[in-house]
Amino acid sequence: MFGCFDVPEVVVAALKPRDDPFVLMRYGHDVLRCAIKELDDALKLENGTDSNTIFHEAWKEFIRFQHIYHAIEEGTNGKAEGFFKMLDRLGDNAATKGGLPDDQTALDGIEHSVGRAQWWRNYRGIRKTFPRFREVNEARYLKVEGIVQPALKKVVAEGTTDMRELAIQSILPTIPRSDLKFFISFGIEMLEKYYPDEPRARKFAHALQVTATSADDWVAKKVILETAFTPKVYLH
């Protein structure tokens, strides 16, 4: 699997065109889209008991990944600046000009509405609120992508920034070590399940490799990946 993934020296090698450390950001939205699809499918099950149970478990996973991803975007005090501040610093205040930090308020409101209904097991209320929840989230993802992807491409094109080092310093420290296994495992699970004919899960894994800070760091992440991938994909 992955060829050069077994060579520790790759973590300090020059990036090749296919090595994109910011895939973790780009595909993070796809992981969340997949998680919302899981929630939507749960609500459509005919058996109400199964539907509610599956939604409850899927919601916990969605919220956990969502919170990790928000920290990646917004940064964590004393650890890393996060994606938005990084883009502001290098990309002419692209995130702030686009209103991305402020948009989170609307998203939090609808998320809390679904969360409260889920807490009280008010699944009738969830079914009423969920279409709006799905709509607001997708609009947010599209807006973020429309702003940050061109800005990031411009930073890359300027050729003056080490993108691997930038990801290591500004993005990776926002993920708590206690959440790393979940972040990797859930990301791989969703990308492999919903994009079986595309190499998104592999690219997600490869981004983890190229941003490893040492051979030991890569070995720890590789152990997680070995169990996250299905055997058929991992051994391909």
Side-chain angles (χ1 to χ4, degrees), residues 72-109:
I72 292 173
E73 288 182 330
E74 298 169 7
T76 52
N77 291 334
K79 290 186 177 180
E81 62 184 340
F83 195 57
F84 290 163
K85 290 185 179 69
M86 182 204 79
L87 277 185
D88 278 351
R89 178 168 57 84
L90 298 175
D92 192 28
N93 290 313
T96 297
K97 287 179 179 178
L100 299 184
D102 297 332
D103 285 348
Q104 191 60 45
T105 302
L107 194 62
D108 286 344

Side-chain angles (χ1 to χ4, degrees), residues 7-109:
V7 183
E9 288 76 10
V10 75
V11 299
V12 294
L15 291 184
K16 302 172 184 177
R18 70 187 182 95
D19 298 336
D20 181 359
F22 287 92
V23 156
L24 297 175
M25 290 296 304
R26 186 164 68 251
Y27 287 169
H29 274 177
D30 290 333
V31 172
L32 290 168
R33 286 181 170 109
C34 296
I36 289 175
K37 178 68 165 58
E38 296 267 297
L39 292 167
D40 201 19
D41 288 347
L43 292 176
K44 293 175 181 176
L45 292 176
E46 292 184 5
N47 186 315
T49 300
D50 289 347
S51 172
N52 296 347
T53 300
I54 293 172
F55 184 93
H56 176 70
E57 294 303 317
W59 178 258
K60 289 193 295 184
E61 292 182 322
F62 168 79
I63 286 297
R64 187 175 180 184
F65 194 92
Q66 177 98 303
H67 287 175
I68 296 170
Y69 194 81
H70 286 173
I72 292 173
E73 288 182 330
E74 298 169 7
T76 52
N77 291 334
K79 290 186 177 180
E81 62 184 340
F83 195 57
F84 290 163
K85 290 185 179 69
M86 182 204 79
L87 277 185
D88 278 351
R89 178 168 57 84
L90 298 175
D92 192 28
N93 290 313
T96 297
K97 287 179 179 178
L100 299 184
D102 297 332
D103 285 348
Q104 191 60 45
T105 302
L107 194 62
D108 286 344

Side-chain angles (χ1 to χ4, degrees), residues 42-226:
L43 292 176
K44 293 175 181 176
L45 292 176
E46 292 184 5
N47 186 315
T49 300
D50 289 347
S51 172
N52 296 347
T53 300
I54 293 172
F55 184 93
H56 176 70
E57 294 303 317
W59 178 258
K60 289 193 295 184
E61 292 182 322
F62 168 79
I63 286 297
R64 187 175 180 184
F65 194 92
Q66 177 98 303
H67 287 175
I68 296 170
Y69 194 81
H70 286 173
I72 292 173
E73 288 182 330
E74 298 169 7
T76 52
N77 291 334
K79 290 186 177 180
E81 62 184 340
F83 195 57
F84 290 163
K85 290 185 179 69
M86 182 204 79
L87 277 185
D88 278 351
R89 178 168 57 84
L90 298 175
D92 192 28
N93 290 313
T96 297
K97 287 179 179 178
L100 299 184
D102 297 332
D103 285 348
Q104 191 60 45
T105 302
L107 194 62
D108 286 344
I110 190 69
E111 181 181 297
H112 289 159
S113 294
V114 177
R116 283 194 299 270
Q118 195 278 144
W119 175 260
W120 291 105
R121 304 298 193 268
N122 178 11
Y123 291 101
R124 179 177 296 180
I126 290 173
R127 287 175 172 83
K128 182 178 180 180
T129 308
F130 194 79
R132 177 61 178 161
F133 170 83
R134 184 178 57 231
E135 175 186 317
V136 169
N137 273 277
E138 179 59 24
R140 163 72 171 181
Y141 302 153
L142 290 173
K143 179 177 179 178
V144 171
E145 290 161 3
I147 292 172
V148 304
Q149 289 181 9
L152 191 59
K153 286 181 179 179
K154 184 178 179 181
V155 173
V156 173
E158 289 172 353
T160 58
T161 302
D162 183 332
M163 302 306 291
R164 173 182 176 270
E165 195 63 29
L166 186 63
I168 290 172
Q169 292 181 357
S170 299
I171 304 300
L172 271 298
T174 65
I175 306 174
R177 297 298 298 182
S178 59
D179 283 329
L180 184 62
K181 182 177 180 180
F182 171 79
F183 177 77
I184 295 173
S185 299
F186 189 69
I188 293 296
E189 177 189 352
M190 292 293 101
L191 294 174
E192 187 181 334
K193 178 178 180 179
Y194 285 96
Y195 300 96
D197 299 322
E198 299 180 36
R200 298 193 188 203
R202 286 172 175 268
K203 289 182 177 180
F204 190 88
H206 199 255
L208 291 166
Q209 182 196 19
V210 299
T211 54
T213 55
S214 67
D216 287 343
D217 183 33
W218 166 237
V219 168
K221 291 174 181 175
K222 184 181 176 185
V223 168
I224 299 172
L225 288 166
E226 287 173 347

Side-chain angles (χ1 to χ4, degrees), residues 219-236:
V219 168
K221 291 174 181 175
K222 184 181 176 185
V223 168
I224 299 172
L225 288 166
E226 287 173 347
T227 57
F229 277 100
T230 60
K232 182 177 70 173
V233 175
Y234 184 80
L235 296 173
H236 179 69

